[in-house]
Amino acid sequence: MVSSGSSFPRRLEALAGAVLVAPAVWGRKYLGTFKSGFLWLTAHTVPWFEVTAEGLNITPSDNEKMLIRLGRDPLVIKSTRIDSIWGLVDLMDEADAAATRVKVPVLLLYGTRDEVIPPAPTLDAIKALSAHGHLTVAFYRSGYHMLLRDLEAARPTEDVAAWMLAPGKPLPSGADRVRARYTKYEFRVPMRDGVRLFTSVYVPKDTSRTYPFLLTRTPYSVAPYGADAYRSALGPSREFEDDGFIFVYQDARGRYMSEGTFAQVR
């Protein structure tokens, strides 16, 4: 998280670069009127009231052993005062506003299974950080919020180490490869009955030749969603991606972002 303040510009100028792992940029504009109003009311009337994550049904990581250890660690905070959450949201607002002022190279890592920070604020942060032209974005299809503690933590950890040594080079995992070689578009394609199916299209940036289409329609989600959110890999294998196709991914009728009613057999 990047916080602003009177010395913010000077502190940023002293940085050689920044690594943002699942950055906390979920500010008030994403919470909505009701949640923001409720937070204000409780923080200003019962600031001592403590809340926990119980009942949220959120999976922060697929590393269950690690989560159990954290749960048993007496130094890990189990409940939080509501006024502390108010302050955290203040910091996330500041981080969101500061994104356009970051001028140093940035590596942003995000797991598409992150259930803590939603995709929308992350994608907006990517757009803001892209303004300076020194942004590397890596998406991990099996990654959760605690990317560097997940079962596959080795991949993003190696990417961070490699980027710190050579910010301009491709990441070892290839998590940034698709974004570098393809442009993503999103459409809602109308069917004969008017139902629209959500469709993501990845088009090679090399326009020197024509490409065949490879269509995948699935009931299991074509995530990540958002024109600035890229898959970590395309096609059945790396060979397809290297050979060059226009990759089309479509949510099946009635599933995820597509309209209509889902039917197992049609």
Side-chain angles (χ1 to χ4, degrees), residues 168-181:
K169 293 186 177 181
L171 301 178
S173 72
D176 62 332
R177 183 181 66 247
V178 173
R179 186 183 181 92
R181 298 178 56 193

Side-chain angles (χ1 to χ4, degrees), residues 30-248:
Y30 303 102
L31 294 179
T33 303
F34 176 77
K35 290 181 180 179
S36 295
F38 181 77
L39 179 60
W40 182 93
L41 179 63
T42 52
H44 289 79
T45 57
V46 285
W48 58 84
F49 183 73
E50 295 189 353
V51 295
T52 70
E54 293 183 14
L56 293 181
N57 195 29
I58 288 177
T59 303
S61 175
D62 60 352
N63 190 342
E64 293 185 7
K65 291 184 178 179
M66 177 272 297
L67 293 175
I68 291 174
R69 289 197 301 270
L70 292 180
R72 294 173 177 172
D73 189 338
L75 298 180
V76 173
I77 297 175
K78 308 299 189 304
S79 60
T80 306
R81 285 174 53 120
I82 198 71
D83 57 351
S84 294
I85 296 179
W86 171 268
L88 173 62
V89 175
D90 282 344
L91 286 176
M92 290 195 288
D93 278 342
E94 292 183 9
D96 181 45
T100 57
R101 307 206 300 275
V102 178
K103 307 300 181 183
V104 298
V106 173
L107 170 64
L108 188 149
L109 298 83
Y110 184 74
T112 59
R113 297 185 181 182
D114 192 325
E115 299 179 12
V116 178
I117 303 298
T122 302
L123 296 178
D124 286 347
I126 289 173
K127 291 179 182 178
L129 291 167
S130 297
H132 66 72
H134 300 289
L135 174 67
T136 299
V137 180
F139 289 98
Y140 303 88
R141 283 186 60 82
S142 59
Y144 290 79
H145 184 67
M146 302 178 71
L147 268 176
L148 303 184
R149 304 292 298 275
D150 287 349
L151 293 178
E152 296 187 12
R155 292 183 65 225
T157 301
E158 290 173 359
D159 286 346
V160 170
W163 183 86
M164 292 177 69
L165 294 174
K169 293 186 177 181
L171 301 178
S173 72
D176 62 332
R177 183 181 66 247
V178 173
R179 186 183 181 92
R181 298 178 56 193
Y182 287 82
T183 300
K184 182 184 178 184
Y185 302 92
E186 293 186 339
F187 305 96
R188 294 184 181 274
V189 181
M191 300 293 102
R192 286 176 292 183
D193 60 355
V195 169
R196 298 180 301 169
L197 302 186
F198 184 88
T199 308
S200 296
V201 181
Y202 293 80
V203 180
K205 292 183 178 180
D206 179 7
T207 59
S208 62
R209 63 186 182 93
T210 58
Y211 300 91
F213 281 81
L214 186 61
L215 171 64
T216 301
R217 180 179 293 146
T218 175
Y220 303 112
S221 174
V222 300
Y225 298 101
D228 288 313
Y230 283 66
R231 298 170 69 95
S232 57
L234 297 175
S237 68
R238 175 69 181 272
E239 286 73 18
F240 282 80
E241 185 180 316
D242 291 340
D243 286 346
F245 284 82
I246 295 176
F247 295 94
V248 182

Side-chain angles (χ1 to χ4, degrees), residues 17-37:
V19 177
L20 305 179
V21 183
V25 288
W26 191 20
R28 286 179 176 81
K29 69 181 181 181
Y30 303 102
L31 294 179
T33 303
F34 176 77
K35 290 181 180 179
S36 295

